[in-house]
Amino acid sequence: MKIACIGGGPAGLYFAISMKLRDHTHAIEVFERNPPGVTWGWGVVFSDQTVENLTANDPVSAKIIADEFAHWDDIDVHIHGQCVRSSGHGFIGIGRKRLLEILQQRARELGVVLHFEAECDPGDPKWQGYDLVIAGDGANSRFRAADEAAFGVDIDERANKFVWLGTSKVFDAFTFAFEETEHGWIWAHAYRFADDCSTFIVECSPKVWRGLGFDRMSQDESIAECERIFAKYLDGHPLMSNATHLVGSAAWLNFRRIKCERWNVGNVILLGDAAHTAHFSIGSGTKLALEDAIKLAQVLNRPGLHLAAAMEEYVAHRNLEVLKLQNSARNSTEWFETLNRYLHFEPVQFAYSLLTRSQRISHENLRLRDKDWLEGVERWFWSRATEGQVGKAAPPMFAPFKLRAMEVANRIAVSPMAMYSATDGTPNDFHLAHYGQRALGGAGLVFTEMTCVSPEGRISPGCTGMWSNGHVDAWKRVVDFVHGTSAAKICLQLGHSGGKGSTRLGWEGNDVPLEDGNWPLMACSDVPWSDSNQRPRAMTRVDMDSVRDQFVAAVRMAIDADFDMIELHAAHGYLLSGFLTPLQNRRTDEYGGSLDNRLRYPLEVFRAMREAWPNERPMSVRISASDWAGEDGVTPDEAVLIGEAFAREGADLIDVSAGQTWTGAQPVYGRMFQTPFSDKLRNEGRLATMAVGNIYEPDHANSILAAGRADLVALGRPHLIDPMWTLRAAAQLGYRDIAAPPQYLNGLAQLARNLQREAEALKA
């Protein structure tokens, strides 16, 4: 094939090398707009996996690159006058300029023709004379920009400002240095890539950037100001820029996350940053470009594979890897963009939060990297959890947590899950077995399913209730069993279905009305939940009084049943959630419109419940922290205000869920996908929170807790299939101090031995 590679960066050069290695008859030319030796950026960081991929693809260039790597293991986090160092991270780096020199030399050896100072106009007809045009011309790709609609380009410009500098100061650890100025916080990402040079990226929010005057400074003035701010880290060494083509504030950039629906149009194929970008804080841009080049060369050289099929395989394979990294990069980017959330953390927790920000590094992964440091984090966590009484190195999920006078034995909760198995609201033997098993299974706190305060407030005929003395007796049987046989506490979740009521059992279809016997519905407004649901009538003030009193009556019954805690369900589109979300609340009176108005009735109900509930016992509120509807619904920023409003009325914990408030929601699923909402409420609102949503491994729970993203972790579906989830986690992690039923101790010990043998066998 006759191929033109646009851009002489790592993507284009390594693709040319990879193609020539597979078939030396390819005629390949690389066109680079800059002169030889001119490049933007300083050092490039690689992972061990990337080096293995390079070695398998081209041992010759890989050996030269590897022989010149700078190696380091430590990360230093400087915050509040302290330095927190952790080890075992295994970084390797090389100067970008030197990397390009190695790749240029290797490309020439293989017969690739290199053209420098070559301006490449996408509209030039000469490109039609090539079988393929590989657009590896970076994040500012002219070839991508020439046909954005065809490529399906999606660009998200991030908020923070950054400038990419270098310095002759050689850092012996990957260094994060956070400095407070009179205008706010600014920080540096610094790492060495050669024996005499380090990368030094400075980052801050736009507000701080303007406050410090960078928007009005020349490049030299900007550098001088950065040298002043970070003087104690530079030890007299200067900062340098090689972006000489930029002047003034233009040297400061906003990172642009780039995605493309299609990576090829006609004979043009996008490669590396031209097709996708990943934030510099996870250091994977060059990795993605090189691995793109390898895979593309593989499929293009496979005999009998036509271009369309080759591109389909290439994009399917690489897009998955890109999405994984972009998701991690998004998490990392958002951590730095919301830095103010974490500045109240003690340095050790701040460093832990920083290290785990992308979710690529977890609690147990840190144990493998630096066991002593991780155990120090655990001792700190336990000391804080026990007010200095206990400082043992043990997983955070097993530390106690106190809400008012109630102390839960550990941080794992059984999430409220509808069982649809009651008769006329009365729990039965199923509920005794269901909740009893999960209490025996080691969870610190067990939540009931949404228990309805009236027959008309049920979702389905199978929902549990709390409106009659028979319900009190049946629930007390469950509560007494939990208290008598386990160390768990039990919380009654109370709610009213609103416009989502009078439907069949959950496994008979979602939101499907009853075949007969439907009861009339009322809600905040006369907005039906879906086209198939009946239209509710809008609540009157008399209705509101009646429902409020039903909640209070249910609270008094919960006292008789001896529940430890009450939760008000104000999420997921049910009655009180319908008041909170503008997608359901269409009222024009004092209960609609502004957030204060939408909060008015839910707060009234909660206030009345709190007054009826004993002061020493805690209460929580479940909210949907996002309607997944952009600015049209409840936003995470509004959710913080909602959580704060309930806390002022005496809520001790915010159970942070999301969505299920309208049928058009488009949630973004993934591991721990709702935990960022808990993080936001906890650390912006300074609220105690419980995280929920696709949390299913002990490692997830420990990472969330140690990073300060939640105070409790609730698991739903994992507990459905494994009521012993918490005891199993204790066995897996070698934790022996968990409260377990004496009848099960031998089984727990056997499980722990079996799991230890399995782990040792995997290491062998």
Side-chain angles (χ1 to χ4, degrees):
M1 284 190 287
K2 183 180 180 183
I3 301 171
C5 294
I6 311 302
L13 286 170
Y14 204 67
F15 172 77
I17 291 167
S18 301
M19 289 293 287
K20 278 288 194 179
L21 286 169
R22 286 163 176 80
D23 186 343
H24 72 277
T25 65
H26 293 310
I28 304 176
E29 298 174 80
V30 174
F31 297 86
E32 167 58 42
R33 66 189 305 180
N34 291 315
V38 174
T39 183
W40 184 77
W42 293 85
V44 176
V45 178
F46 286 150
S47 67
D48 291 338
Q49 182 62 56
T50 303
V51 176
E52 290 177 14
N53 293 338
L54 296 181
T55 301
N57 186 63
D58 179 24
V60 175
S61 61
K63 185 179 187 308
I64 299 171
I65 293 168
D67 287 346
E68 299 195 23
F69 274 137
H71 299 259
W72 67 100
D73 287 319
D74 300 333
I75 293 179
D76 283 353
V77 180
H78 296 264
I79 184 71
H80 301 312
Q82 295 187 36
C83 176
V84 178
R85 171 170 285 198
S86 62
S87 193
H89 298 285
F91 293 104
I92 45 180
I94 189 171
R96 180 179 171 85
K97 182 177 179 180
R98 179 58 185 142
L99 175 64
L100 293 180
E101 289 172 350
I102 294 169
L103 296 182
Q104 288 167 7
Q105 180 59 36
R106 181 60 171 151
R108 289 191 182 98
E109 291 172 1
L110 293 170
V112 177
V113 178
L114 306 183
H115 303 278
F116 291 97
E117 299 182 80
E119 287 292 337
C120 299
D121 181 359
D124 193 327
K126 76 177 181 180
W127 307 121
Q128 299 307 312
Y130 290 86
D131 298 305
L132 292 177
V133 176
I134 307 300
D137 51 342
N140 297 317
S141 170
R142 296 169 67 189
F143 279 72
R144 184 193 65 234
D147 207 351
E148 286 196 354
F151 285 113
V153 181
D154 176 5
I155 298 178
D156 177 21
E157 184 168 284
R158 305 304 304 192
N160 280 0
K161 306 291 291 189
F162 73 95
V163 61
W164 204 301
L165 303 172
T167 178
S168 54
K169 164 67 184 290
V170 179
F171 289 88
D172 63 355
F174 197 119
T175 299
F176 293 97
F178 296 85
E179 286 295 311
E180 186 176 19
T181 73
E182 61 181 320
H183 297 285
W185 287 80
I186 186 169
W187 54 95
H189 315 238
Y191 55 91
R192 67 186 176 97
F193 59 84
D195 292 337
D196 59 354
C197 202
S198 299
T199 293
F200 200 92
I201 304 170
V202 179
E203 184 181 5
C204 60
S205 71
K207 180 179 178 181
V208 172
W209 181 72
R210 287 189 295 270
L212 290 170
F214 287 119
D215 57 328
R216 303 181 299 276
M217 293 181 187
S218 68
Q219 187 174 119
D220 288 344
E221 289 170 336
S222 280
I223 290 174
E225 179 64 6
C226 289
E227 288 174 342
R228 182 190 68 78
I229 293 171
F230 295 103
K232 65 184 178 183
Y233 306 101
L234 293 169
D235 297 330
H237 290 266
L239 291 175
M240 304 170 284
S241 173
N242 58 15
T244 54
H245 59 294
L246 299 175
V247 296
S249 62
W252 289 82
L253 304 171
N254 292 79
F255 180 80
R256 298 193 306 156
R257 191 274 295 134
I258 295 168
K259 293 195 295 187
C260 295
E261 291 181 21
R262 289 164 295 281
W263 294 6
N264 73 297
V265 174
N267 70 336
V268 176
I269 301 175
L270 303 180
L271 191 68
D273 280 355
H276 47 70
T277 57
H279 194 259
F280 59 83
S281 63
I282 67 166
S284 295
T286 303
K287 162 192 165 64
L288 287 175
L290 295 173
E291 292 174 354
D292 278 359
I294 295 171
K295 183 62 180 179
L296 183 57
Q298 286 175 351
V299 298
L300 290 177
N301 284 279
R302 191 177 304 153
L305 192 63
H306 295 293
L307 179 60
M311 286 305 303
E312 184 176 354
E313 179 182 336
Y314 166 64
V315 173
H317 179 271
R318 292 302 302 153
N319 198 40
L320 179 61
E321 294 303 310
V322 169
L323 287 175
K324 288 179 182 177
L325 275 171
Q326 285 190 327
N327 285 340
S328 295
R330 182 196 64 234
N331 295 334
S332 179
T333 306
E334 290 177 353
W335 192 91
F336 286 105
E337 289 178 348
T338 59
L339 179 73
N340 287 344
R341 277 187 204 169
Y342 312 110
L343 291 169
H344 67 285
F345 283 6
E346 292 182 43
V348 65
Q349 188 175 40
F350 182 89
Y352 183 100
S353 177
L354 171 61
L355 293 176
T356 59
R357 67 193 183 279
S358 72
Q359 298 182 12
R360 292 197 299 173
I361 297 176
S362 68
H363 196 77
E364 292 306 312
N365 187 262
L366 283 172
R367 193 183 307 280
L368 293 174
R369 294 174 182 229
D370 192 339
K371 182 174 181 286
D372 291 342
W373 184 81
L374 195 276
E375 288 181 350
V377 173
E378 291 178 337
R379 279 189 289 271
W380 169 85
F381 190 93
W382 275 80
S383 180
R384 289 296 303 269
T386 61
E387 297 180 343
Q389 297 177 28
V390 178
K392 61 182 178 181
M397 63 182 281
F398 299 117
F401 184 62
K402 194 169 186 179
L403 291 167
R404 299 204 181 206
M406 182 189 83
E407 183 173 276
V408 293
N410 60 61
R411 305 295 181 107
I412 300 301
V414 176
S415 195
M417 297 171 284
M419 294 291 104
Y420 304 110
S421 300
T423 303
D424 295 327
T426 305
N428 50 44
D429 286 350
F430 172 86
H431 299 86
L432 177 66
H434 172 68
Y435 294 114
Q437 282 182 316
R438 281 141 192 86
L440 292 172
L445 182 60
V446 176
F447 284 78
T448 72
E449 61 203 272
M450 186 176 92
T451 299
C452 305
V453 297
S454 69
E456 301 78 21
R458 291 175 296 168
I459 306 166
S460 77
C463 292
T464 55
M466 189 64 104
W467 66 78
S468 75
N469 290 333
H471 297 157
V472 176
D473 294 340
W475 275 121
K476 192 171 192 310
R477 182 171 174 241
V478 174
V479 173
D480 287 348
F481 182 87
V482 171
H483 288 163
T485 61
S486 77
K489 305 298 183 184
I490 185 165
C491 175
L492 176 66
Q493 187 190 71
L494 292 173
H496 188 297
S497 61
K500 296 178 79 171
S502 190
T503 62
R504 300 178 200 177
L505 305 185
W507 49 84
E508 295 175 347
N510 289 327
D511 304 317
V512 180
L514 299 172
E515 293 182 0
D516 56 64
N518 285 284
W519 56 85
L521 303 179
M522 62 179 173
C524 171
S525 303
D526 62 345
V527 178
W529 169 248
S530 72
D531 292 340
S532 61
N533 290 83
Q534 60 176 296
R535 181 178 294 275
R537 64 178 175 82
M539 293 178 74
T540 66
R541 183 62 246 190
V542 172
D543 294 327
M544 294 162 72
D545 290 343
S546 175
V547 170
R548 178 201 61 213
D549 294 345
Q550 289 168 354
F551 273 98
V552 171
V555 167
R556 294 192 174 117
M557 292 178 186
I559 297 172
D560 294 337
D562 201 23
F563 278 96
D564 300 295
M565 180 174 169
I566 291 288
E567 175 163 285
L568 175 63
H569 199 332
H572 297 172
Y574 298 121
L575 185 123
L576 295 179
S577 173
F579 276 86
L580 293 173
T581 173
L583 299 173
Q584 286 195 41
N585 187 335
R586 308 292 172 78
R587 300 179 74 100
T588 58
D589 60 7
E590 65 269 34
Y591 300 100
S594 69
L595 179 60
D596 286 344
N597 283 358
R598 288 182 274 125
L599 269 165
R600 193 182 305 274
Y601 182 61
L603 290 177
E604 177 185 329
V605 172
F606 182 87
R607 189 181 305 117
M609 294 170 67
R610 181 73 263 184
E611 289 174 358
W613 186 241
N615 187 60
E616 69 276 9
R617 300 190 197 184
M619 285 184 66
S620 61
V621 180
R622 170 166 272 203
I623 68 169
S624 288
S626 171
D627 287 337
W628 302 109
E631 297 299 319
D632 294 331
V634 170
T635 64
D637 286 338
E638 272 197 336
V640 174
L641 301 177
I642 292 170
E644 290 173 335
F646 278 110
R648 286 193 293 271
E649 297 296 340
D652 305 290
L653 180 76
I654 307 299
D655 179 356
V656 188
S657 188
Q660 302 179 56
T661 55
W662 66 302
T663 56
Q666 295 182 319
V668 181
Y669 292 111
R671 288 181 305 127
M672 303 176 279
F673 74 108
Q674 294 181 145
T675 299
F677 301 129
S678 171
D679 184 344
K680 183 178 179 72
L681 268 74
R682 183 182 190 272
N683 295 309
E684 291 185 12
R686 305 295 175 89
L687 304 165
T689 64
M690 182 166 75
V692 305
N694 206 22
I695 301 166
Y696 53 87
E697 293 181 356
D699 214 13
H700 296 166
N702 287 319
S703 298
I704 290 167
L705 294 165
R709 305 178 81 192
D711 299 282
L712 293 173
V713 175
L715 290 82
R717 293 174 184 177
H719 271 131
L720 283 178
I721 199 65
D722 186 2
M724 299 290 164
W725 189 92
T726 308
L727 292 183
R728 191 179 302 279
Q732 177 184 335
L733 297 173
Y735 184 73
R736 295 291 177 267
D737 293 339
I738 190 168
Q743 300 93 329
Y744 296 169
L745 287 174
N746 287 338
L748 181 61
Q750 179 68 59
L751 176 62
R753 288 193 295 271
N754 291 345
L755 292 174
Q756 183 177 1
R757 290 192 194 104
E758 290 176 12
E760 290 171 352
L762 288 173
K763 292 178 182 178

